[in-house]
Amino acid sequence: GFALVRKRLTTAWAILSVVVAANVGTTRALASPESDALQRAIELYDNGDYVSAQETLVAVDRSKLNKKQQGIREEYLNKVKVALTMAEKALRDLEDAETAMGAKEWQKAQTLIAAVLKNAYAGAQIKAAAESLRRELPATPPPQAPAPTAAPATSAQPPPAEQPPAAPPAAAT
């Protein structure tokens, strides 16, 4: 009896020791500086700070992460690359919209502003600037604004300059 109880207790103790040791090892692995940095990078990404997220991810020593964490790091490196590209596009679109407004190309400006406002990666300042530009757009664009962009599409560019508008169709027949 006593020997059997002692053997069971010893076996239970050995199993408990293995479980505790495995959990301590896992806890240490999860609380490593590398996994902390990985978590910080994810938070930076989620907050829209894509440059800092990328810097943090690149600094993480991949070899000190477990397989799952390595996969997460690679996933976020890809997400950051896309986010940075799209954030740069939002800035270019905003700059192009400002240029279009300066040239009184209202439709082009409106399209570019809409693209900025729809861009999920555009930062709050970029979106606020786009919203401000949108408010500066004329409520009804002047009718002359689209004409210069439509004229190059037709082959009748020179005749309107030389003759009245009714003459080009007669000349074409």
Side-chain angles (χ1 to χ4, degrees), residues 29-163:
L30 292 176
S32 75
E34 303 305 311
S35 66
D36 289 345
L38 179 61
Q39 187 58 44
R40 194 168 46 258
I42 292 169
E43 290 168 8
L44 289 166
Y45 173 86
D46 289 344
N47 291 328
D49 189 352
Y50 307 122
V51 173
S52 296
Q54 182 181 43
E55 291 169 353
T56 304
L57 286 166
V58 169
V60 170
D61 184 351
R62 187 178 187 282
S63 69
K64 293 184 180 176
L65 298 173
N66 64 36
K67 292 283 185 209
K68 182 179 178 182
Q69 291 169 326
Q70 289 175 3
I72 292 169
R73 178 181 175 269
E74 293 306 312
E75 174 189 348
Y76 273 88
L77 279 169
N78 290 330
K79 284 182 169 187
V80 163
K81 187 183 291 185
V82 169
L84 288 171
T85 300
M86 292 303 293
E88 288 173 19
K89 182 183 181 330
L91 180 59
R92 278 193 315 274
D93 286 349
L94 180 65
E95 291 169 347
D96 292 346
E98 289 171 340
T99 302
M101 286 182 70
K104 297 186 187 320
E105 296 174 350
W106 308 120
Q107 188 60 44
K108 181 178 180 181
Q110 187 174 11
T111 301
L112 289 163
I113 290 167
V116 172
L117 293 173
K118 288 179 185 176
N119 187 328
Y121 299 98
Q125 290 178 322
I126 299 292
K127 285 192 176 192
E131 192 61 48
S132 175
L133 280 180
R134 189 178 61 78
R135 287 191 296 271
E136 292 176 27
L137 283 171
T140 306
Q144 291 123 357
T149 57
T154 65
S155 60
Q157 249 183 357
E162 299 170 10
Q163 301 173 343

